[in-house]
Amino acid sequence: QVQLVESGGGSVQAGGSLRLSCVVSGSAFRFSTMGWYRQAPGEQRELVALMTTGGNSNYGDSVKGRFTISRDNAENTVYLQMNSLKPEDTAVYYCNARNFVMNTWGKGTLVTVSS
């Protein structure tokens, strides 16, 4: 069974940066669209960024120009570089792997941005 393990969350002041990582077990990574989503307390889960197997990326409007998604197929890892963080970026960030046969989530990593 494919497992996704996120890391890199933590507490940072507004304007700071964090880099999240998500390691995917097994051989499905290179065949999967990888995404980062987030969920703030009392809010619905929303798309942050995703990257297809071909390297095309898409971002949520609120993070465009500040966040960058990347993937390393050799390491089965997807990254989310988050710059110019704002208090409204505070949320649990989830990694997602999706292809024709699966749609799998990690357990999430908490990002807290203080003003």
Side-chain angles (χ1 to χ4, degrees):
Q1 186 174 358
V2 175
Q3 291 186 326
L4 283 62
V5 180
E6 303 101 334
S7 62
S11 297
V12 65
Q13 289 191 329
S17 298
L18 285 173
R19 189 175 82 153
L20 306 184
S21 301
C22 172
V23 179
V24 182
S25 66
S27 59
F29 181 85
R30 68 178 66 187
F31 307 114
S32 301
T33 290
M34 297 301 304
W36 287 98
Y37 293 76
R38 68 186 182 187
Q39 188 167 17
E43 302 291 332
Q44 290 188 336
R45 193 171 295 188
E46 64 174 357
L47 171 71
V48 176
L50 60 82
M51 179 169 278
T52 67
T53 56
N56 294 315
S57 59
N58 190 29
Y59 296 89
D61 287 341
S62 62
V63 306
K64 286 180 181 177
R66 300 188 297 122
F67 291 11
T68 303
I69 189 171
S70 60
R71 63 189 293 163
D72 185 337
N73 287 343
E75 298 293 331
N76 281 11
T77 302
V78 61
Y79 302 98
L80 184 69
Q81 178 66 44
M82 305 186 294
N83 298 328
S84 302
L85 283 161
K86 304 175 181 180
E88 51 263 44
D89 295 318
T90 294
V92 177
Y93 285 70
Y94 297 91
C95 180
N96 174 264
R98 186 177 75 244
N99 60 38
F100 288 111
V101 297
M102 74 175 193
N103 183 16
T104 303
W105 295 87
K107 294 183 178 180
T109 185
L110 177 63
V111 172
T112 303
V113 184
S114 58
S115 57

